[in-house]
Amino acid sequence: MAADLVAGVGSYTLQQIADYLGAELRGDPGTEIRGLATLEGATGSDLSFLANPAYRKHLSDTQAGAVIVAPQVAGDCPVNVLVLDNPYLGFARVTRLFDDRPWPDAGVHATAVIADSARVDPSASVGPNCVVGADAVVGARTVLGAGTVIGDRSSVGEDCYFHPRVTIAHAVRIGSRVIIHSGAVIGSDGFGFAPDGGKWEKIAQIGSVVVGDDVEIGANTTVDRGALDDTVIEDGVILDNQIQIAHNVRIGAYTAVAGNTAIAGTARIGRNCTIGGQSGIAGHLEIADNVHVGGMSMVIGDIREPGAYASGTGSLPMAQWKKCVVRFRQLEDIARRLKALEKKAGE
Amino acid sequence: MAADLVAGVGSYTLQQIADYLGAELRGDPGTEIRGLATLEGATGSDLSFLANPAYRKHLSDTQAGAVIVAPQVAGDCPVNVLVLDNPYLGFARVTRLFDDRPWPDAGVHATAVIADSARVDPSASVGPNCVVGADAVVGARTVLGAGTVIGDRSSVGEDCYFHPRVTIAHAVRIGSRVIIHSGAVIGSDGFGFAPDGGKWEKIAQIGSVVVGDDVEIGANTTVDRGALDDTVIEDGVILDNQIQIAHNVRIGAYTAVAGNTAIAGTARIGRNCTIGGQSGIAGHLEIADNVHVGGMSMVIGDIREPGAYASGTGSLPMAQWKKCVVRFRQLEDIARRLKALEKKAGE
Amino acid sequence: MAADLVAGVGSYTLQQIADYLGAELRGDPGTEIRGLATLEGATGSDLSFLANPAYRKHLSDTQAGAVIVAPQVAGDCPVNVLVLDNPYLGFARVTRLFDDRPWPDAGVHATAVIADSARVDPSASVGPNCVVGADAVVGARTVLGAGTVIGDRSSVGEDCYFHPRVTIAHAVRIGSRVIIHSGAVIGSDGFGFAPDGGKWEKIAQIGSVVVGDDVEIGANTTVDRGALDDTVIEDGVILDNQIQIAHNVRIGAYTAVAGNTAIAGTARIGRNCTIGGQSGIAGHLEIADNVHVGGMSMVIGDIREPGAYASGTGSLPMAQWKKCVVRFRQLEDIARRLKALEKKAGE
């Protein structure tokens, strides 16, 4: 692969992209590709892709300059093709070439406040109004967006990209190639209090957070520090926006969690799981590896077997919903009456 | 209407307010009004209103200086009245006169960091520690609260009011008269990843976000940028706090979404809908215009007909709830046994 | 109690800790304690505790330097003990001694922007890039983390600790000893709009927020200001992360609310309640004192009796879930058919 292709330059020949992807090219290698688009929306300078069989109907009419396709479909495509066993993965890789997000220069902005004892790699980029605390470490080529705060004694690895206004509290350890979006807070206090005669006594949260390599954390997501031990986000975990990870949770490698999900204290989520959005995972439970939980799931017990799980009842027209809720609350009575009838019928 | 009434001065005559609202005044036009209050809480210098029939019982005892009422109620009010066909709308309009939020002077604060290529209208107000990126545009009379970040190439229209600590990522387009509350993030990456042998390959999100005119976006709400095309928030949409809008969602004009709702990728919500708080809307579905979804709804399929919808079962005393949940899980069995009994009974 | 023990020094004798806690010490008073740990993880320089009977099995094997235990268990402990009637409360108190969070020096950082008319106590600590507005007040020994914004006319009491990037809007009143975590927004506009012929007319939110003493507010939690009157968070309330408190809500003293919960407008929650995470509380309802609501609860009516409540149906394997949802939607029909059978059977 031509891994040295420069991203974001705006224009590539089809041959350059084929080399970058390691794809077989059928068609004109000199075709100029200036953007990415869906099969339906693409014009002659766009590269498109076919991954989902549901969109195959759009293939014959596409105006794309080229399409990334699987081998068995390549013959049906009316335009240039790049053939890959996994077209969706190829598409994912090629998006990088067209990503035009700002990539700031190395160096510390004049308005950033860096503690004397902090170690910021000279190749890192520290944006306006950032604050890097005492004894904190920022690794090579890492980007800190404007207004980001790195707490005392925290470390951030290499090649990370933090968008503006991220907060890393004190003594947090973050790996390399970690992306964190705006407003995320890593290392806030866990919600730990001891009852004291009708009042609450705060339990200082003296653990911390450990985030592995290749993790992505969404906008306004929060990860609390542990009470005694650490909260752990393993390598390759991807967290969407507005997620709450409570103290001492452990999320296994390569697990994906969708938006607005809340995971309560000391829950352990396995590896390679997917957790649907708006779900609630109760505390002190375990979810096995390779578990897939639907959106708005309410997980209140261990899930020990891999597989798919869901909960909730789905939305209904208001009048029907009201009747179903009334009957739901009568379920114990319904079951008893059914049993009585069965007895009478001699079953 | 006397649209030139100056807001926030703290005191108006009843005649001034009647003129501002275009309301019929019955009573003393010189009554001095210094505040707004409920019928029960109002004193002689307060203006109140009666919109909800449930509060009509408080009308006869009110101590308000005046009350905004509908024509058919005007005769029953013991104090001065302002008569309007829509008293609630009149109340909404008059709140502006008593809003004492800070309205900062035009100009760029000395601590703000503005890229050389950015265009900030001289009548705009850019607060302390704001950052405005390369080629970004900030329109006339727009206010950027302290610590707000406008990404490279993004544009913000006229007469917008962004509260402190808003993040607008790069290449986002925002209309005029848009209010955004603290902590909101517009243009964070959509949650797009391709599976790659047990790991995740990030799909760069090269679309953006388009926000129309007259939109309001709540505190800590997040709106993700599109994967290829844009996420779209149409004119007049109102979004409450802590909402997550995923990539490529489209929300139709004048739709209202209440707090903590999550809308998954590529969902299309119609115009003039209301979505209750804490709801979850699955991805790749369509909701028609004029659909009203209750709080905590779980929408997992298209809603094609206007009307009211709801889901969930509501809270119950713990002992009853436990029994209902057990029976819910037996529903398939209950239905089968019922059918068997019916067969036996010859139905 | 030796309340003058200095926190965070890293090492104490067991006698010092016993004095601090007012605990009976059985064993070697000179034992050096350098940290806290669970019974299983503790080494000879760690102090541990036994509060939950489920962990009693770990007591006999512990390697801890000492354990905080209840009187009836003290005899079974193989190592030094500190005897207290409430070991968990003792543990909570001792965590403070080992909390190593940064405690910045008094004074205003050079990059902070303080309005001339603001009054900041000389013993307060105002971090980098903070903004304190006109006529705002910051009390003695209060810490404002980096990038925190205090709006015009707002007041913050004594001994508060605000983590980085907190927003307090204008005219908000916050008590003493209040902890607020990063990204929280207090005083954003309530979600109030009047319908106006298919559009929305904003109702300026001219109330504010009052937060009592000894309150803790989690990361990215939002508390909206009231429409006319104030939103009220009473003394000793603890709010976890990502919670949304709508306008004119009142939360009674010492109530605890777990993460991602949304409480709609004008709801009144009693004292000493606990609200589970990811719950939704509808607007304009009342919850009595001492009510305990489970996680993901959907509270859509008043709860007038103290006690435990829950809702939802819990997650199920996908195939079973699909069948139960189908049957749930047939519940009205099931109930009717059951009644018909009973009639036929002469019940």
Side-chain angles (χ1 to χ4, degrees):
Chain A
M1 290 198 207
D4 57 346
L5 248 199
V6 177
V9 303
S11 175
Y12 308 88
T13 66
L14 193 54
Q15 185 65 57
Q16 284 180 305
I17 295 177
D19 291 347
Y20 167 72
L21 290 177
E24 178 197 348
L25 188 163
R26 298 189 198 164
D28 175 8
T31 304
E32 192 184 4
I33 299 297
R34 281 187 242 149
L36 302 177
T38 60
L39 284 172
E40 282 178 285
T43 66
S45 61
D46 288 327
L47 174 64
S48 189
F49 70 103
L50 174 60
N52 184 339
Y55 293 110
R56 184 156 175 176
K57 60 189 174 193
H58 299 306
L59 189 62
S60 55
D61 294 332
T62 192
Q63 304 292 314
V67 183
I68 307 173
V69 293
Q72 61 273 26
V73 185
D76 303 339
C77 185
V79 299
N80 301 313
V81 292
L82 298 179
V83 185
L84 279 175
D85 287 337
N86 188 338
Y88 194 52
L89 181 59
F91 162 69
R93 288 190 176 139
V94 87
T95 58
R96 259 188 252 162
L97 301 182
F98 295 93
D99 187 11
D100 65 348
R101 75 179 52 217
W103 209 279
D105 294 335
V108 174
H109 194 274
T111 59
V113 177
I114 314 289
D116 290 343
S117 58
R119 282 178 292 140
V120 177
D121 192 278
S123 64
S125 171
V126 179
N129 302 321
C130 286
V131 178
V132 180
D135 298 309
V137 177
V138 177
R141 295 169 305 281
T142 282
V143 173
L144 303 185
T148 286
V149 177
I150 309 293
D152 293 2
R153 286 170 279 133
S154 287
S155 65
V156 181
E158 302 184 348
D159 295 299
C160 293
Y161 193 114
F162 291 6
H163 290 260
R165 298 202 301 99
V166 165
T167 298
I168 309 295
H170 64 283
V172 169
R173 298 192 298 289
I174 295 187
S176 290
R177 299 173 304 283
V178 171
I179 297 172
I180 306 186
H181 290 277
S182 290
V185 179
I186 316 299
S188 39
D189 280 354
F191 196 57
F193 298 84
D196 179 16
K199 302 188 175 186
W200 298 104
E201 175 80 18
K202 181 176 175 69
I203 299 171
Q205 303 290 297
I206 62 180
S208 187
V209 179
V210 178
V211 174
D213 294 332
D214 301 300
V215 167
E216 182 154 345
I217 298 177
N220 283 348
T221 281
T222 50
V223 181
D224 278 349
R225 65 193 314 113
L228 290 177
D229 300 325
D230 295 334
T231 304
V232 178
I233 311 293
E234 293 184 4
D235 291 349
V237 165
I238 52 176
L239 302 178
D240 197 359
N241 297 351
Q242 311 247 25
I243 291 167
Q244 152 67 354
I245 309 290
H247 51 185
N248 301 105
V249 166
R250 173 178 282 265
I251 301 186
Y254 308 107
T255 281
V257 183
N260 290 45
T261 287
I263 304 182
T266 316
R268 295 176 70 96
I269 317 289
R271 295 167 62 100
N272 292 107
C273 296
T274 57
I275 310 289
Q278 198 73 297
S279 291
I281 315 283
H284 296 271
L285 56 70
E286 279 200 57
I287 296 180
D289 296 348
N290 297 299
V291 165
H292 306 285
V293 174
M296 291 194 93
S297 281
M298 175 187 184
V299 181
I300 49 179
D302 291 346
I303 298 183
R304 298 203 179 90
E305 295 300 319
Y309 297 80
S311 54
T313 54
S315 60
L316 295 170
M318 185 67 79
Q320 183 186 1
W321 171 73
K322 282 184 178 170
K323 287 177 185 167
C324 290
V325 169
V326 168
R327 297 306 184 185
F328 175 81
R329 294 168 180 208
Q330 299 169 344
L331 269 177
E332 182 66 11
D333 178 58
I334 287 174
R336 264 203 230 108
R337 287 158 54 199
L338 180 62
K339 194 156 193 186
L341 276 180
E342 287 174 331
K343 205 173 167 186
K344 199 162 187 171
E347 301 235 340
Chain B
M1 288 199 208
D4 56 345
L5 247 198
V6 178
V9 302
S11 175
Y12 308 88
T13 66
L14 193 54
Q15 185 66 57
Q16 284 180 305
I17 294 178
D19 290 348
Y20 167 73
L21 291 177
E24 179 197 347
L25 189 161
R26 298 189 199 164
D28 175 8
T31 304
E32 192 183 4
I33 298 297
R34 279 187 243 149
L36 301 176
T38 60
L39 283 174
E40 282 178 285
T43 66
S45 61
D46 288 326
L47 175 64
S48 190
F49 69 105
L50 174 60
N52 184 338
Y55 294 110
R56 183 154 176 178
K57 60 188 174 193
H58 299 305
L59 189 62
S60 55
D61 293 332
T62 191
Q63 304 292 315
V67 183
I68 307 173
V69 294
Q72 61 273 28
V73 185
D76 302 340
C77 186
V79 298
N80 300 313
V81 291
L82 297 179
V83 184
L84 279 174
D85 287 338
N86 188 337
Y88 193 52
L89 181 58
F91 162 68
R93 289 189 175 139
V94 87
T95 58
R96 261 189 251 164
L97 300 182
F98 295 93
D99 187 11
D100 66 348
R101 76 179 51 218
W103 209 280
D105 294 336
V108 175
H109 193 274
T111 58
V113 177
I114 313 289
D116 290 343
S117 57
R119 282 179 292 141
V120 176
D121 192 279
S123 64
S125 171
V126 179
N129 302 321
C130 286
V131 178
V132 180
D135 297 310
V137 177
V138 177
R141 296 171 302 283
T142 281
V143 173
L144 302 185
T148 286
V149 177
I150 309 293
D152 293 3
R153 286 169 279 134
S154 287
S155 65
V156 181
E158 303 183 347
D159 296 300
C160 294
Y161 193 114
F162 291 5
H163 290 259
R165 297 202 302 99
V166 165
T167 297
I168 308 295
H170 64 283
V172 169
R173 298 192 299 288
I174 295 188
S176 290
R177 298 174 303 283
V178 171
I179 297 172
I180 306 186
H181 290 277
S182 290
V185 179
I186 315 299
S188 38
D189 281 354
F191 196 58
F193 298 84
D196 179 16
K199 303 188 176 188
W200 298 104
E201 175 80 18
K202 181 175 175 68
I203 300 171
Q205 303 290 298
I206 62 181
S208 188
V209 179
V210 177
V211 174
D213 294 330
D214 301 300
V215 167
E216 181 154 346
I217 298 177
N220 284 348
T221 280
T222 50
V223 181
D224 278 350
R225 64 194 314 114
L228 290 176
D229 301 324
D230 295 333
T231 304
V232 179
I233 311 292
E234 294 183 3
D235 292 348
V237 166
I238 52 176
L239 302 178
D240 197 359
N241 297 351
Q242 311 247 24
I243 290 167
Q244 152 66 357
I245 308 290
H247 52 185
N248 300 104
V249 165
R250 174 178 281 266
I251 302 186
Y254 307 107
T255 281
V257 183
N260 290 43
T261 287
I263 304 181
T266 316
R268 295 176 69 96
I269 317 288
R271 295 166 61 100
N272 292 107
C273 296
T274 57
I275 310 290
Q278 198 71 297
S279 292
I281 315 283
H284 296 271
L285 57 69
E286 281 200 55
I287 295 180
D289 296 348
N290 297 299
V291 165
H292 306 286
V293 173
M296 290 194 93
S297 281
M298 175 187 184
V299 181
I300 50 179
D302 291 346
I303 298 183
R304 298 202 178 90
E305 296 299 320
Y309 298 80
S311 55
T313 52
S315 61
L316 295 170
M318 185 67 77
Q320 183 188 0
W321 171 74
K322 283 184 177 170
K323 287 177 185 168
C324 290
V325 169
V326 168
R327 297 306 184 186
F328 175 81
R329 293 167 180 209
Q330 298 169 345
L331 270 176
E332 181 66 10
D333 179 58
I334 287 174
R336 264 202 231 108
R337 288 157 53 199
L338 180 63
K339 195 158 192 184
L341 276 181
E342 286 173 331
K343 205 174 167 185
K344 198 161 189 172
E347 301 237 338
Chain C
M1 290 199 208
D4 57 347
L5 248 197
V6 177
V9 302
S11 175
Y12 307 87
T13 65
L14 193 53
Q15 185 65 58
Q16 284 180 305
I17 295 177
D19 291 347
Y20 167 73
L21 290 177
E24 178 197 347
L25 189 162
R26 299 189 198 165
D28 176 8
T31 303
E32 192 185 3
I33 298 297
R34 280 187 243 148
L36 301 177
T38 60
L39 283 173
E40 283 177 284
T43 66
S45 60
D46 288 326
L47 175 63
S48 190
F49 69 104
L50 174 60
N52 184 338
Y55 294 111
R56 184 156 175 176
K57 59 188 173 194
H58 298 306
L59 189 63
S60 55
D61 295 333
T62 192
Q63 304 293 315
V67 183
I68 308 173
V69 293
Q72 61 273 29
V73 185
D76 302 340
C77 186
V79 299
N80 301 313
V81 291
L82 297 179
V83 184
L84 279 174
D85 287 337
N86 188 338
Y88 194 51
L89 181 59
F91 162 68
R93 288 190 175 138
V94 87
T95 58
R96 260 188 252 162
L97 299 182
F98 295 93
D99 186 12
D100 66 349
R101 77 180 50 218
W103 210 280
D105 294 335
V108 175
H109 193 274
T111 59
V113 178
I114 313 289
D116 290 344
S117 58
R119 281 178 291 140
V120 176
D121 192 279
S123 63
S125 171
V126 179
N129 302 320
C130 286
V131 178
V132 180
D135 298 311
V137 177
V138 177
R141 296 170 304 280
T142 281
V143 173
L144 302 185
T148 286
V149 178
I150 309 292
D152 294 2
R153 287 170 278 132
S154 286
S155 65
V156 180
E158 303 184 347
D159 297 298
C160 294
Y161 192 114
F162 290 6
H163 291 259
R165 297 201 303 100
V166 165
T167 298
I168 309 295
H170 64 282
V172 169
R173 298 192 299 289
I174 295 187
S176 290
R177 298 173 304 282
V178 171
I179 297 172
I180 306 185
H181 290 277
S182 291
V185 179
I186 316 298
S188 39
D189 281 354
F191 196 58
F193 298 84
D196 178 17
K199 302 189 175 185
W200 298 104
E201 174 80 18
K202 182 176 174 67
I203 299 171
Q205 303 290 298
I206 61 181
S208 187
V209 179
V210 177
V211 174
D213 294 331
D214 301 299
V215 167
E216 181 154 346
I217 297 177
N220 284 348
T221 281
T222 49
V223 181
D224 278 350
R225 64 193 315 113
L228 290 177
D229 301 325
D230 295 333
T231 304
V232 178
I233 312 292
E234 294 184 2
D235 291 348
V237 166
I238 52 177
L239 302 178
D240 197 359
N241 296 351
Q242 311 246 25
I243 291 167
Q244 153 66 357
I245 309 290
H247 52 185
N248 300 105
V249 166
R250 173 178 281 265
I251 302 186
Y254 308 108
T255 281
V257 183
N260 291 43
T261 287
I263 304 182
T266 317
R268 295 177 70 96
I269 317 289
R271 295 166 62 100
N272 292 107
C273 296
T274 57
I275 310 290
Q278 198 73 297
S279 292
I281 315 282
H284 296 272
L285 57 69
E286 280 199 56
I287 296 181
D289 296 347
N290 297 298
V291 166
H292 306 285
V293 174
M296 291 194 93
S297 282
M298 175 188 185
V299 181
I300 49 179
D302 291 346
I303 298 183
R304 298 203 179 90
E305 295 299 319
Y309 297 81
S311 55
T313 53
S315 60
L316 295 170
M318 186 66 78
Q320 183 187 0
W321 172 73
K322 283 182 177 170
K323 288 177 185 167
C324 290
V325 169
V326 169
R327 297 306 185 186
F328 174 80
R329 293 167 181 209
Q330 299 169 344
L331 270 177
E332 181 66 10
D333 178 57
I334 287 174
R336 264 203 229 105
R337 287 158 55 199
L338 180 63
K339 194 156 191 184
L341 276 180
E342 287 174 331
K343 204 173 169 185
K344 198 162 187 173
E347 302 236 338

